[in-house]
Amino acid sequence: MSTVAEKKQKLSVPFDYNRYLRPNKLPHIWCPGCGHGIVLKSLIRAIDKSALTKDQICMVSGIGCSSRTPGYVDFNTFHTLHGRALSHATGIKLAKPELKIIVTTGDGDALAIGGNHFIHTCRRNIDMTILVYSNATYGMTGGQYSPTTPVGSMATTSRYGNIEPVFDCCELAKAAGATFVARGTAYHTQELERILLEAIKHRGTSVVEILDQCPTYYGRQNKFKSATHMMEVIEKDGTVSVTQAEKLPPEKIKGKLLRGILHRVERPEYCDEYKKLTDRAQGK
Ligand SMILES: Cc1ncc(C[n+]2csc(CCOP(=O)(O)OP(=O)(O)O)c2C)c(N)n1
Ligand code: SF4
């Protein structure tokens, strides 16, 4: 057990993110105030706590601002096609089941063009961690509405307000068969770190929806004053933790999204079943 003085000294040593980054790929492309970099810091701290080595991890993405993440980290990485991160990740996992696969994908990448891959990955329960960066917009291509853009919101493609209802990413993942489902935000960084660590440790498909902000498009188009204003309204005031929600009356949680681990069950994992099948076919 460490003493109070030892704990204080530990806290005063800044965490060395550079150990996990590729300095020659920096600076990154993200705009000032974008949530994607904040999420990356929580993710790196979670990976550090997981005891996985850098070589044991393969980070895969599609295309989008959030999908640029694998370019900046010193793991095995694969930047693929828009909406196809999960099909590539599935192939990598089947070829090298010993790797820990972490997919970074936007709400557009995962739930619009990649929606089909998303539900079938969850259905198979293949061992990978999918982080859906949910900023309610297509950031990279100029702020078109996405499947998580709230009704009434402005976007490049909805000048009079979006009329399409949103996908609840977590409910979708759960219904499709994911065995670990959680939601965090870029505002609650320490909580996000804890959620990501649990998601990484889980065997099976783990999905974490992360509410983060695109001040450049969603923020400006919807008259938010700043990135911090977005974080306060959408991520802090717009959510409530599952533990808090249990103690609050229904009127206090109405209209808010739940944060925390929302679903965790055990179910046969795809690579294990595939190995059994190939062994059987080979008469082993
Ligand atoms: C097949 C294909 N269709 C469309 C595009 C254009 N495109 C690139 S990124 C993107 C959307 C990105 O939005 P999201 O996945 O939510 O990520 P964000 O940029 O918001 O982090 C689109 C439509 C593409 N690159 N390839
Ligand atoms: S356009 Fe939006 S999502 Fe893309 S880097 Fe800028 S703030 Fe982030």
Side-chain angles (χ1 to χ4, degrees):
M1 194 64 180
S2 51
T3 63
V4 176
E6 278 169 341
K7 274 186 189 159
K8 269 192 185 160
Q9 200 197 356
K10 220 173 164 187
L11 281 174
S12 67
V13 180
F15 184 90
D16 182 12
Y17 293 95
N18 285 332
R19 277 190 293 132
Y20 292 93
L21 296 174
R22 292 174 176 152
N24 60 331
K25 297 290 178 196
L26 297 172
H28 57 71
I29 60 147
W30 297 318
C31 310
C34 178
H36 298 344
I38 303 173
V39 176
L40 177 57
K41 289 180 86 176
S42 291
L43 176 61
I44 288 177
R45 292 195 306 274
I47 288 171
D48 188 69
K49 289 206 173 121
S50 75
L52 285 164
T53 66
K54 292 195 282 186
D55 285 342
Q56 288 173 319
I57 296 171
C58 182
M59 191 180 276
V60 186
S61 71
I63 300 291
C65 297
S66 39
S67 292
R68 289 295 288 256
T69 304
Y72 306 127
V73 291
D74 192 22
F75 309 125
N76 302 290
T77 57
F78 199 8
H79 189 199
T80 73
L81 305 172
H82 190 40
R84 302 292 177 264
L86 295 175
S87 42
H88 286 81
T90 299
I92 296 166
K93 183 69 187 177
L94 282 170
K96 294 224 171 259
E98 67 278 11
L99 286 175
K100 175 74 219 177
I101 310 284
I102 300 175
V103 178
T104 57
T105 172
D107 43 294
D109 195 66
L111 305 176
I113 190 170
N116 203 16
H117 296 291
F118 183 77
I119 55 174
H120 293 291
T121 304
C122 294
R123 177 173 67 87
R124 292 186 187 118
N125 193 35
I126 189 161
D127 184 37
M128 63 175 69
T129 298
I130 306 168
L131 312 186
V132 183
Y133 290 61
S134 196
N135 59 5
T137 193
Y138 287 4
M140 180 162 268
T141 44
Q144 295 83 4
Y145 65 79
S146 83
T148 58
T149 305
V151 170
S153 296
M154 300 300 161
T156 316
T157 41
S158 63
R159 288 297 188 202
Y160 299 94
N162 174 35
I163 57 166
E164 295 188 15
V166 297
F167 259 152
D168 182 323
C169 173
C170 293
E171 288 296 328
L172 181 66
K174 185 179 161 191
T179 45
F180 180 105
V181 180
R183 187 182 286 114
T185 83
Y187 179 89
H188 304 89
T189 55
Q190 309 250 318
E191 180 189 79
L192 181 61
E193 178 188 323
R194 290 192 291 273
I195 292 172
L196 293 177
L197 178 59
E198 290 302 308
I200 289 167
K201 287 194 309 199
H202 180 78
R203 177 131 180 97
T205 304
S206 53
V207 175
V208 184
E209 181 185 26
I210 305 163
L211 305 183
D212 75 344
Q213 69 284 352
C214 170
T216 301
Y217 292 111
Y218 190 84
R220 275 203 286 212
Q221 288 165 332
N222 289 283
K223 307 271 182 276
F224 282 93
K225 286 181 260 174
S226 62
T228 44
H229 185 216
M230 294 180 82
M231 292 173 90
E232 265 173 30
V233 174
I234 301 168
E235 298 160 29
K236 178 172 159 269
D237 299 340
T239 64
V240 60
S241 80
V242 269
T243 39
Q244 278 169 343
E246 278 165 15
K247 297 174 215 145
L248 291 169
E251 64 272 17
K252 291 265 182 204
I253 55 175
K254 196 167 172 245
K256 292 182 193 260
L257 286 170
L258 289 177
R259 295 193 322 270
I261 297 169
L262 309 175
H263 174 69
R264 179 156 42 181
V265 290
E266 297 288 325
R267 193 159 70 72
E269 191 275 329
Y270 189 81
C271 294
D272 294 341
E273 296 306 298
Y274 190 73
K275 171 85 175 60
K276 282 187 218 161
L277 180 82
T278 49
D279 282 354
R280 230 177 27 242
Q282 290 164 6
K284 286 186 190 164

